Amino acid sequence: MHDMSAHAAQHGAPTSFIRKHIFSLDHKVIGKQYYALALVAVIVGMVLSWLMRLHLGFANFAIPGLHLLSKNGAPGDIMTPEYYLQLMTMHGTIMVFFVLTTAPFAAFGNFFLPIQTGAEDMPFPHFNMMSFWVTFTGFIILMASFFVSDGPTLGGWTQYAPLSAVGAVAGPGQGTGVVLWAFSIAFFCVGQLFGSLNFITTTLDMRCKGMSLMRLPLSAWAWFITSIMGLTAFAVLMPAAILLILDHVAGTSFFVASNLVINDSLLPHSGGSTLLWQHLFWFFGHPEVYIAIIPGMGIVSHILITNMRRPMLSHRVLIYSMGALAVLSYMVYGHHMFVSGMNPISSLAFSFPTLIITIPSTIIVLIWLGSLYGSKLRINTASLFALGFVSMFISGGVSGFFLAQPSIDIMLHATYFVVGHFHLVMAVAAIFGIFGGTYFWFPKMTGRMMNESLGKLHFWLTFVGTYCIFMPFHYLGIAGNVRRYQAFVDDYLIPLIPVHKFITVAALATGAAQLIFIYNLIHSRFKGAPAPDNPWQGTSLEWSTATPPPHNNFGDKMPVVYHDPYQYSVEGASSDFIMQTSSESVHSADEEK
Amino acid sequence: MSQADLTMHGHPGAGVMSEPAFSVPAKKMAMWLFIIADTATFAGCLVAYGFIRNSTPDWPRPFHSITNVALMTFILLTSSLTMLMGIRSAEKGEKSGAFRWILITALLGAVFAVLHIREWMELLDTGVTIFHNPFGTPLFGAAFFSVTGLHLLHVTGGVIALIAVGIRYMGGRYKADDIEVTGLYWHFVDLVWMFVVPLIYLLNMSH
Ligand code: HEM
Ligand SMILES: [Cu+2]
């Protein structure tokens, strides 16, 4: 029960190296650890995507050295069909879990949520430390599956039963690979549950004097809402993963129906339900996509406001809309199962909330656009990436309207159209949020500025590059190109191969452009210009403390908050912004009482 | 691990929370949040059980008598009561009284676990395992053992937690609040059992 003992942040600064940098209780260090984990994960995930794209664009292209990764999977450096699927599964799993969830939520949230709420630390630092290390263990377990005899699982990040539950008979990686996958996910869930617990208690219990809930910046709200979702979504995925493990190691058959014949052998299982896995998975899975995107929405709003020098059209409506997304996201999960043999009435029932969930999304987008309209946006790398986020989210959201209708989805399901949809709306958008957050907060996190020219170059290459990669996917999907194929040999697919070649080249080029970011990150970390406390003239609490913040965030004087988070360009104020901690009194119409 | 920086303080962030949102101390809130998450976990498992039960035409109903499960339920309910007594004594500052009630609660929990394991043993003896059973679909055993196993895990964890919290409370490290937080957990485990009994036992009674 030791970890239950809440001793908040009043522990003094640690002195030993291990306590300071490895098993740290400091939310800021834990945030950076999460960031580092996400960075390693995203590099692995990106390299995997290159391998896949090379194989798709240039069939039978020998990738030098690939046989070193897997002798059986890539004899003569050419990947087997199964190995393609294995790499694809790992790509998806790494990206969704260890990048899109860890970076915007766990990394930035850990570092900035306590600071933006005016807390000295989270209430349960031990849980917080465990949250990272359990997640890290999950990542190691997942990586380990590359090195077991028949490689990682090939079932896709959604790991549909029954092929995920019957063992090695279903193909390479479907035995040990799936078990490792499920263990990794179960660890990940535990880690995120610990994290969510801390995020919620921090927001509700640790706010400094004067910090009412409505005075929290939008980024803090986004992390708060996300953590509430995490609390229930991961709590359902975890038992699902454990049941999957039982199907493998304990001979149960929760997810395998009777009399199943796979690869000519009759399986001993009986009685389970294959749809059950899809229900459990998507009950988590759809909220998960919002867990990945809502922190980005918060971060991007925060960045845009600071650079527009004026608040959003409505602080409250933005918050309520994010909340509505969170609630609705639990009611729409069935839209992933329109063609899974679910009762058509259920399809109809899931289609309505799916169309309704576009309303809060649309409101959020309209608030962004309406607030941007006519504003004198300061153009810097962070604000460019924030604009990029908005652009990607709109482009990807539009295709959601089509997919939401079962009659259209029957055509588009499991084609590259869906791949285009979720990469734009979730993957790329969230990544842009992470980039924006990095350029914006790097000074606070490290005490040094990043290079702006390199940053802008990075932005333009990435922005153009990602559209070149993901827009053509929609065309491919409408043309009938099924996803998760490792080669295109049918008559109707052969004419599409030039499009695939183009996408592969674009993917390699955009990937290469990320080296600029890595270089900028490392170089600035050690050689960047020293950062002032408030480089962007922001108002929220992270800007009123030192750069980088001291161990207990605010030194010996705890902050007191007098204002709404975004007091920019207030009439009659002494400068164009009023910090939340400034006691200057203003008479502004929209200041919350 | 150096303990120097872990010195304990009465309340989390004392002095920081001049305006606590819902005046719920962080530990209690964390327990409520845990209960929400755990409810989702149990709900997931029970829904899964219902799902496979519904999709299996010849679902077995092997239970004949409710004596054992009624006894277990009675014991668990009683333990919730003794837990309440413990919390009440702790609030009044009657340390040894509270400690005694906590130990009784833990003891009742342990008896529950023993009865439960005895029941498991009997089932195992008649050939019911997690992947096989004599009455039909093997999923009966799988569902039974995983749902009741998850619950038993909670009871066992609760017994250990009760003893640990009780001892630290006697030692002065924990306060009455901590007893109350542990009590929340214990009542929750009790409540979950109230769903397990009808769904896993009563629905599977042969007439
Ligand atoms: C505008 C609102 C949205 C609507 C109406 C919508 C609708 C849909 C539908 C119907 C599908 C299933 C397509 C199929 O598999 O046949 C789908 C897939 C998907 N959506 Fe959305 N979506 C929306 C926004 C989002 C957002 C905001 C995200 C993430 C942040 C997202 C992430 C995904 C993912 C990851 C998949 C594919 C999962 C897979 O099969 O691997 N969607 N969407
Ligand atoms: Cu969805």
Side-chain angles (χ1 to χ4, degrees), chain A residues 88-115:
Chain A
M88 177 204 79
T89 304
M90 293 300 270
H91 165 77
T93 308
I94 292 171
M95 289 300 197
V96 171
F97 292 94
F98 293 95
V99 179
L100 299 184
T101 312
T102 52
F105 176 58
F108 287 128
N110 253 304
F111 199 103
F112 287 105
L113 180 67
I115 302 185

PDB file of all heavy atoms in Angstrom, chain A residues 88-115:
ATOM      1  N   MET A  88       3.407  -4.994 -40.817  1.00  0.00           N
ATOM      2  CA  MET A  88       2.257  -4.098 -40.792  1.00  0.00           C
ATOM      3  C   MET A  88       1.611  -4.075 -39.397  1.00  0.00           C
ATOM      4  O   MET A  88       1.276  -3.017 -38.870  1.00  0.00           O
ATOM      5  CB  MET A  88       1.249  -4.565 -41.839  1.00  0.00           C
ATOM      6  CG  MET A  88      -0.021  -3.767 -41.873  1.00  0.00           C
ATOM      7  SD  MET A  88      -1.372  -4.720 -42.581  1.00  0.00           S
ATOM      8  CE  MET A  88      -1.825  -5.748 -41.197  1.00  0.00           C
ATOM      9  N   THR A  89       1.464  -5.264 -38.819  1.00  0.00           N
ATOM     10  CA  THR A  89       0.842  -5.338 -37.495  1.00  0.00           C
ATOM     11  C   THR A  89       1.667  -4.588 -36.460  1.00  0.00           C
ATOM     12  O   THR A  89       1.126  -3.841 -35.638  1.00  0.00           O
ATOM     13  CB  THR A  89       0.714  -6.811 -37.070  1.00  0.00           C
ATOM     14  OG1 THR A  89      -0.024  -7.491 -38.071  1.00  0.00           O
ATOM     15  CG2 THR A  89       0.025  -6.928 -35.737  1.00  0.00           C
ATOM     16  N   MET A  90       2.972  -4.788 -36.533  1.00  0.00           N
ATOM     17  CA  MET A  90       3.823  -4.105 -35.561  1.00  0.00           C
ATOM     18  C   MET A  90       3.783  -2.598 -35.783  1.00  0.00           C
ATOM     19  O   MET A  90       3.748  -1.811 -34.847  1.00  0.00           O
ATOM     20  CB  MET A  90       5.257  -4.623 -35.672  1.00  0.00           C
ATOM     21  CG  MET A  90       5.387  -6.064 -35.256  1.00  0.00           C
ATOM     22  SD  MET A  90       4.879  -6.326 -33.553  1.00  0.00           S
ATOM     23  CE  MET A  90       6.418  -6.057 -32.724  1.00  0.00           C
ATOM     24  N   HIS A  91       3.776  -2.199 -37.040  1.00  0.00           N
ATOM     25  CA  HIS A  91       3.676  -0.767 -37.350  1.00  0.00           C
ATOM     26  C   HIS A  91       2.429  -0.173 -36.684  1.00  0.00           C
ATOM     27  O   HIS A  91       2.520   0.806 -35.953  1.00  0.00           O
ATOM     28  CB  HIS A  91       3.630  -0.561 -38.863  1.00  0.00           C
ATOM     29  CG  HIS A  91       3.187   0.795 -39.299  1.00  0.00           C
ATOM     30  ND1 HIS A  91       4.010   1.896 -39.257  1.00  0.00           N
ATOM     31  CD2 HIS A  91       1.988   1.250 -39.760  1.00  0.00           C
ATOM     32  CE1 HIS A  91       3.349   2.958 -39.691  1.00  0.00           C
ATOM     33  NE2 HIS A  91       2.110   2.596 -39.989  1.00  0.00           N
ATOM     34  N   GLY A  92       1.290  -0.801 -36.917  1.00  0.00           N
ATOM     35  CA  GLY A  92       0.046  -0.265 -36.366  1.00  0.00           C
ATOM     36  C   GLY A  92       0.045  -0.252 -34.851  1.00  0.00           C
ATOM     37  O   GLY A  92      -0.341   0.735 -34.220  1.00  0.00           O
ATOM     38  N   THR A  93       0.470  -1.357 -34.261  1.00  0.00           N
ATOM     39  CA  THR A  93       0.439  -1.443 -32.801  1.00  0.00           C
ATOM     40  C   THR A  93       1.366  -0.411 -32.172  1.00  0.00           C
ATOM     41  O   THR A  93       0.989   0.301 -31.231  1.00  0.00           O
ATOM     42  CB  THR A  93       0.846  -2.850 -32.351  1.00  0.00           C
ATOM     43  OG1 THR A  93       0.054  -3.805 -33.039  1.00  0.00           O
ATOM     44  CG2 THR A  93       0.659  -3.017 -30.856  1.00  0.00           C
ATOM     45  N   ILE A  94       2.577  -0.329 -32.704  1.00  0.00           N
ATOM     46  CA  ILE A  94       3.540   0.622 -32.140  1.00  0.00           C
ATOM     47  C   ILE A  94       3.005   2.037 -32.255  1.00  0.00           C
ATOM     48  O   ILE A  94       3.039   2.826 -31.310  1.00  0.00           O
ATOM     49  CB  ILE A  94       4.888   0.497 -32.874  1.00  0.00           C
ATOM     50  CG1 ILE A  94       5.544  -0.839 -32.555  1.00  0.00           C
ATOM     51  CG2 ILE A  94       5.806   1.646 -32.509  1.00  0.00           C
ATOM     52  CD1 ILE A  94       6.763  -1.118 -33.394  1.00  0.00           C
ATOM     53  N   MET A  95       2.485   2.356 -33.446  1.00  0.00           N
ATOM     54  CA  MET A  95       2.052   3.732 -33.679  1.00  0.00           C
ATOM     55  C   MET A  95       0.854   4.098 -32.803  1.00  0.00           C
ATOM     56  O   MET A  95       0.858   5.130 -32.128  1.00  0.00           O
ATOM     57  CB  MET A  95       1.695   3.937 -35.150  1.00  0.00           C
ATOM     58  CG  MET A  95       2.900   3.943 -36.066  1.00  0.00           C
ATOM     59  SD  MET A  95       4.059   5.255 -35.627  1.00  0.00           S
ATOM     60  CE  MET A  95       5.051   5.356 -37.107  1.00  0.00           C
ATOM     61  N   VAL A  96      -0.173   3.256 -32.804  1.00  0.00           N
ATOM     62  CA  VAL A  96      -1.387   3.628 -32.079  1.00  0.00           C
ATOM     63  C   VAL A  96      -1.122   3.681 -30.571  1.00  0.00           C
ATOM     64  O   VAL A  96      -1.520   4.621 -29.894  1.00  0.00           O
ATOM     65  CB  VAL A  96      -2.534   2.648 -32.382  1.00  0.00           C
ATOM     66  CG1 VAL A  96      -3.713   2.901 -31.459  1.00  0.00           C
ATOM     67  CG2 VAL A  96      -2.969   2.779 -33.821  1.00  0.00           C
ATOM     68  N   PHE A  97      -0.460   2.664 -30.062  1.00  0.00           N
ATOM     69  CA  PHE A  97      -0.305   2.611 -28.614  1.00  0.00           C
ATOM     70  C   PHE A  97       0.899   3.416 -28.135  1.00  0.00           C
ATOM     71  O   PHE A  97       0.769   4.273 -27.269  1.00  0.00           O
ATOM     72  CB  PHE A  97      -0.173   1.160 -28.140  1.00  0.00           C
ATOM     73  CG  PHE A  97      -1.448   0.377 -28.311  1.00  0.00           C
ATOM     74  CD1 PHE A  97      -1.683  -0.382 -29.430  1.00  0.00           C
ATOM     75  CD2 PHE A  97      -2.428   0.442 -27.333  1.00  0.00           C
ATOM     76  CE1 PHE A  97      -2.863  -1.087 -29.587  1.00  0.00           C
ATOM     77  CE2 PHE A  97      -3.617  -0.261 -27.480  1.00  0.00           C
ATOM     78  CZ  PHE A  97      -3.831  -1.029 -28.611  1.00  0.00           C
ATOM     79  N   PHE A  98       2.052   3.126 -28.707  1.00  0.00           N
ATOM     80  CA  PHE A  98       3.264   3.660 -28.094  1.00  0.00           C
ATOM     81  C   PHE A  98       3.695   5.008 -28.654  1.00  0.00           C
ATOM     82  O   PHE A  98       4.668   5.576 -28.199  1.00  0.00           O
ATOM     83  CB  PHE A  98       4.397   2.635 -28.204  1.00  0.00           C
ATOM     84  CG  PHE A  98       4.124   1.415 -27.376  1.00  0.00           C
ATOM     85  CD1 PHE A  98       3.546   0.287 -27.926  1.00  0.00           C
ATOM     86  CD2 PHE A  98       4.401   1.421 -26.017  1.00  0.00           C
ATOM     87  CE1 PHE A  98       3.261  -0.826 -27.142  1.00  0.00           C
ATOM     88  CE2 PHE A  98       4.126   0.319 -25.231  1.00  0.00           C
ATOM     89  CZ  PHE A  98       3.557  -0.811 -25.793  1.00  0.00           C
ATOM     90  N   VAL A  99       2.971   5.502 -29.661  1.00  0.00           N
ATOM     91  CA  VAL A  99       3.291   6.845 -30.151  1.00  0.00           C
ATOM     92  C   VAL A  99       2.101   7.782 -29.938  1.00  0.00           C
ATOM     93  O   VAL A  99       2.194   8.758 -29.209  1.00  0.00           O
ATOM     94  CB  VAL A  99       3.676   6.823 -31.641  1.00  0.00           C
ATOM     95  CG1 VAL A  99       3.971   8.237 -32.118  1.00  0.00           C
ATOM     96  CG2 VAL A  99       4.875   5.922 -31.863  1.00  0.00           C
ATOM     97  N   LEU A 100       0.969   7.438 -30.554  1.00  0.00           N
ATOM     98  CA  LEU A 100      -0.151   8.385 -30.536  1.00  0.00           C
ATOM     99  C   LEU A 100      -0.794   8.500 -29.153  1.00  0.00           C
ATOM    100  O   LEU A 100      -1.470   9.477 -28.867  1.00  0.00           O
ATOM    101  CB  LEU A 100      -1.208   7.976 -31.564  1.00  0.00           C
ATOM    102  CG  LEU A 100      -0.720   7.952 -33.006  1.00  0.00           C
ATOM    103  CD1 LEU A 100      -1.859   7.631 -33.949  1.00  0.00           C
ATOM    104  CD2 LEU A 100      -0.088   9.268 -33.388  1.00  0.00           C
ATOM    105  N   THR A 101      -0.643   7.498 -28.320  1.00  0.00           N
ATOM    106  CA  THR A 101      -1.179   7.625 -26.965  1.00  0.00           C
ATOM    107  C   THR A 101      -0.121   8.181 -26.022  1.00  0.00           C
ATOM    108  O   THR A 101      -0.422   9.026 -25.181  1.00  0.00           O
ATOM    109  CB  THR A 101      -1.674   6.264 -26.452  1.00  0.00           C
ATOM    110  OG1 THR A 101      -2.491   5.673 -27.446  1.00  0.00           O
ATOM    111  CG2 THR A 101      -2.466   6.416 -25.169  1.00  0.00           C
ATOM    112  N   THR A 102       1.110   7.710 -26.163  1.00  0.00           N
ATOM    113  CA  THR A 102       2.117   8.149 -25.188  1.00  0.00           C
ATOM    114  C   THR A 102       2.520   9.600 -25.408  1.00  0.00           C
ATOM    115  O   THR A 102       2.610  10.358 -24.446  1.00  0.00           O
ATOM    116  CB  THR A 102       3.371   7.267 -25.228  1.00  0.00           C
ATOM    117  OG1 THR A 102       3.828   7.198 -26.558  1.00  0.00           O
ATOM    118  CG2 THR A 102       3.103   5.887 -24.701  1.00  0.00           C
ATOM    119  N   ALA A 103       2.776  10.006 -26.652  1.00  0.00           N
ATOM    120  CA  ALA A 103       3.347  11.347 -26.822  1.00  0.00           C
ATOM    121  C   ALA A 103       2.387  12.476 -26.447  1.00  0.00           C
ATOM    122  O   ALA A 103       2.674  13.248 -25.539  1.00  0.00           O
ATOM    123  CB  ALA A 103       3.903  11.518 -28.226  1.00  0.00           C
ATOM    124  N   PRO A 104       1.224  12.599 -27.112  1.00  0.00           N
ATOM    125  CA  PRO A 104       0.402  13.772 -26.785  1.00  0.00           C
ATOM    126  C   PRO A 104      -0.238  13.702 -25.404  1.00  0.00           C
ATOM    127  O   PRO A 104      -0.435  14.719 -24.756  1.00  0.00           O
ATOM    128  CB  PRO A 104      -0.689  13.766 -27.866  1.00  0.00           C
ATOM    129  CG  PRO A 104      -0.624  12.458 -28.538  1.00  0.00           C
ATOM    130  CD  PRO A 104       0.647  11.781 -28.185  1.00  0.00           C
ATOM    131  N   PHE A 105      -0.544  12.516 -24.966  1.00  0.00           N
ATOM    132  CA  PHE A 105      -1.242  12.357 -23.683  1.00  0.00           C
ATOM    133  C   PHE A 105      -0.231  12.193 -22.543  1.00  0.00           C
ATOM    134  O   PHE A 105      -0.067  13.074 -21.709  1.00  0.00           O
ATOM    135  CB  PHE A 105      -2.179  11.149 -23.784  1.00  0.00           C
ATOM    136  CG  PHE A 105      -2.899  10.804 -22.514  1.00  0.00           C
ATOM    137  CD1 PHE A 105      -3.704  11.734 -21.886  1.00  0.00           C
ATOM    138  CD2 PHE A 105      -2.781   9.546 -21.959  1.00  0.00           C
ATOM    139  CE1 PHE A 105      -4.381  11.412 -20.712  1.00  0.00           C
ATOM    140  CE2 PHE A 105      -3.447   9.207 -20.795  1.00  0.00           C
ATOM    141  CZ  PHE A 105      -4.246  10.152 -20.163  1.00  0.00           C
ATOM    142  N   ALA A 106       0.470  11.067 -22.542  1.00  0.00           N
ATOM    143  CA  ALA A 106       1.316  10.778 -21.388  1.00  0.00           C
ATOM    144  C   ALA A 106       2.542  11.683 -21.304  1.00  0.00           C
ATOM    145  O   ALA A 106       2.913  12.118 -20.213  1.00  0.00           O
ATOM    146  CB  ALA A 106       1.737   9.307 -21.427  1.00  0.00           C
ATOM    147  N   ALA A 107       3.157  12.007 -22.446  1.00  0.00           N
ATOM    148  CA  ALA A 107       4.392  12.793 -22.381  1.00  0.00           C
ATOM    149  C   ALA A 107       4.097  14.248 -22.037  1.00  0.00           C
ATOM    150  O   ALA A 107       4.481  14.747 -20.976  1.00  0.00           O
ATOM    151  CB  ALA A 107       5.156  12.690 -23.694  1.00  0.00           C
ATOM    152  N   PHE A 108       3.375  14.935 -22.923  1.00  0.00           N
ATOM    153  CA  PHE A 108       3.096  16.345 -22.652  1.00  0.00           C
ATOM    154  C   PHE A 108       2.192  16.505 -21.447  1.00  0.00           C
ATOM    155  O   PHE A 108       2.341  17.435 -20.658  1.00  0.00           O
ATOM    156  CB  PHE A 108       2.462  17.004 -23.876  1.00  0.00           C
ATOM    157  CG  PHE A 108       3.433  17.239 -24.996  1.00  0.00           C
ATOM    158  CD1 PHE A 108       3.160  16.805 -26.275  1.00  0.00           C
ATOM    159  CD2 PHE A 108       4.634  17.891 -24.753  1.00  0.00           C
ATOM    160  CE1 PHE A 108       4.055  17.022 -27.306  1.00  0.00           C
ATOM    161  CE2 PHE A 108       5.545  18.108 -25.782  1.00  0.00           C
ATOM    162  CZ  PHE A 108       5.253  17.670 -27.074  1.00  0.00           C
ATOM    163  N   GLY A 109       1.240  15.587 -21.292  1.00  0.00           N
ATOM    164  CA  GLY A 109       0.322  15.686 -20.161  1.00  0.00           C
ATOM    165  C   GLY A 109       1.060  15.585 -18.840  1.00  0.00           C
ATOM    166  O   GLY A 109       0.811  16.345 -17.908  1.00  0.00           O
ATOM    167  N   ASN A 110       1.978  14.639 -18.753  1.00  0.00           N
ATOM    168  CA  ASN A 110       2.725  14.510 -17.516  1.00  0.00           C
ATOM    169  C   ASN A 110       3.533  15.756 -17.224  1.00  0.00           C
ATOM    170  O   ASN A 110       3.561  16.231 -16.098  1.00  0.00           O
ATOM    171  CB  ASN A 110       3.677  13.310 -17.600  1.00  0.00           C
ATOM    172  CG  ASN A 110       3.193  12.164 -16.753  1.00  0.00           C
ATOM    173  OD1 ASN A 110       2.977  12.317 -15.556  1.00  0.00           O
ATOM    174  ND2 ASN A 110       2.985  11.023 -17.373  1.00  0.00           N
ATOM    175  N   PHE A 111       4.181  16.258 -18.256  1.00  0.00           N
ATOM    176  CA  PHE A 111       5.031  17.418 -17.997  1.00  0.00           C
ATOM    177  C   PHE A 111       4.201  18.644 -17.642  1.00  0.00           C
ATOM    178  O   PHE A 111       4.487  19.358 -16.693  1.00  0.00           O
ATOM    179  CB  PHE A 111       5.903  17.714 -19.224  1.00  0.00           C
ATOM    180  CG  PHE A 111       7.095  18.581 -18.900  1.00  0.00           C
ATOM    181  CD1 PHE A 111       8.350  18.024 -18.783  1.00  0.00           C
ATOM    182  CD2 PHE A 111       6.949  19.945 -18.685  1.00  0.00           C
ATOM    183  CE1 PHE A 111       9.449  18.812 -18.469  1.00  0.00           C
ATOM    184  CE2 PHE A 111       8.037  20.741 -18.364  1.00  0.00           C
ATOM    185  CZ  PHE A 111       9.294  20.167 -18.254  1.00  0.00           C
ATOM    186  N   PHE A 112       3.123  18.882 -18.409  1.00  0.00           N
ATOM    187  CA  PHE A 112       2.470  20.190 -18.285  1.00  0.00           C
ATOM    188  C   PHE A 112       1.168  20.218 -17.500  1.00  0.00           C
ATOM    189  O   PHE A 112       0.775  21.271 -17.047  1.00  0.00           O
ATOM    190  CB  PHE A 112       2.258  20.803 -19.672  1.00  0.00           C
ATOM    191  CG  PHE A 112       3.545  21.291 -20.265  1.00  0.00           C
ATOM    192  CD1 PHE A 112       4.178  20.597 -21.267  1.00  0.00           C
ATOM    193  CD2 PHE A 112       4.149  22.431 -19.756  1.00  0.00           C
ATOM    194  CE1 PHE A 112       5.387  21.035 -21.789  1.00  0.00           C
ATOM    195  CE2 PHE A 112       5.356  22.880 -20.262  1.00  0.00           C
ATOM    196  CZ  PHE A 112       5.975  22.180 -21.283  1.00  0.00           C
ATOM    197  N   LEU A 113       0.494  19.078 -17.346  1.00  0.00           N
ATOM    198  CA  LEU A 113      -0.781  19.158 -16.628  1.00  0.00           C
ATOM    199  C   LEU A 113      -0.594  19.685 -15.194  1.00  0.00           C
ATOM    200  O   LEU A 113      -1.269  20.629 -14.787  1.00  0.00           O
ATOM    201  CB  LEU A 113      -1.502  17.807 -16.632  1.00  0.00           C
ATOM    202  CG  LEU A 113      -2.840  17.814 -15.898  1.00  0.00           C
ATOM    203  CD1 LEU A 113      -3.860  18.688 -16.628  1.00  0.00           C
ATOM    204  CD2 LEU A 113      -3.408  16.410 -15.743  1.00  0.00           C
ATOM    205  N   PRO A 114       0.347  19.114 -14.405  1.00  0.00           N
ATOM    206  CA  PRO A 114       0.502  19.666 -13.054  1.00  0.00           C
ATOM    207  C   PRO A 114       0.923  21.134 -13.078  1.00  0.00           C
ATOM    208  O   PRO A 114       0.459  21.922 -12.249  1.00  0.00           O
ATOM    209  CB  PRO A 114       1.611  18.798 -12.448  1.00  0.00           C
ATOM    210  CG  PRO A 114       1.570  17.532 -13.227  1.00  0.00           C
ATOM    211  CD  PRO A 114       1.197  17.932 -14.620  1.00  0.00           C
ATOM    212  N   ILE A 115       1.745  21.521 -14.044  1.00  0.00           N
ATOM    213  CA  ILE A 115       2.181  22.915 -14.067  1.00  0.00           C
ATOM    214  C   ILE A 115       1.014  23.818 -14.435  1.00  0.00           C
ATOM    215  O   ILE A 115       0.801  24.857 -13.816  1.00  0.00           O
ATOM    216  CB  ILE A 115       3.352  23.099 -15.058  1.00  0.00           C
ATOM    217  CG1 ILE A 115       4.512  22.182 -14.653  1.00  0.00           C
ATOM    218  CG2 ILE A 115       3.807  24.543 -15.086  1.00  0.00           C
ATOM    219  CD1 ILE A 115       5.754  22.367 -15.480  1.00  0.00           C
TER     220      ILE A 115
END
